[in-house]
Amino acid sequence: MSRHTGHADLPALPILGGSYQLAIDGLTLLADSFTLHYTVSPPLPASVLLTLDAEDDLGNTYVDWGGACGTSPDGHRTHGTITARPAPPHSALHLRVRLVFLRSGAEFPYDLGLPLP
């Protein structure tokens, strides 16, 4: 069983020097993990990698468990997911997520606050 929430109310965040826009599309909680769904416009080059670190409002930390991404059918954006483990406890209300984009040996970190469903 999973819980999912959309995050359309979050503004798009300029990333990678302002050349791209990151939008968080949703968060899915599973029994053993959570997955962040995102869109980046224009599409990211294949050489850009993404990592995730997170902590909830109770002090629990979460480990990047990988993800997947690909260019949209129209070629205008990248759709992706990134997963972390373990799953947050039901008593946690909020995640502090740090997304780090890696490009040409440089790190570009971005911090987000996300309510848990």
Side-chain angles (χ1 to χ4, degrees):
M1 186 162 156
S2 69
R3 296 182 286 162
H4 179 81
T5 184
H7 285 283
D9 57 326
L10 294 176
L13 179 69
I15 61 170
L16 300 171
S19 301
Y20 298 87
Q21 293 288 315
L22 168 68
I24 303 302
D25 301 323
L27 177 69
T28 301
L29 300 178
L30 299 171
D32 65 347
S33 62
F34 68 88
T35 299
L36 191 65
H37 306 263
Y38 66 90
T39 302
V40 176
S41 302
L44 290 169
S47 60
V48 174
L49 302 174
L50 178 63
T51 65
L52 176 150
D53 288 308
E55 183 177 334
D56 65 30
D57 55 312
L58 303 175
N60 300 305
T61 57
Y62 302 91
V63 178
D64 187 327
W65 204 249
C69 67
T71 304
S72 62
D74 65 7
H76 295 291
R77 62 196 59 81
T78 295
H79 292 294
T81 60
I82 189 161
T83 299
R85 292 182 103 179
H90 289 291
S91 55
L93 302 174
H94 187 266
L95 283 175
R96 289 178 297 281
V97 176
R98 172 165 277 199
L99 296 174
V100 179
F101 289 86
L102 306 169
R103 179 176 71 175
S104 302
E107 294 185 0
F108 297 86
Y110 302 96
D111 295 322
L112 305 167
L114 301 174
L116 289 167

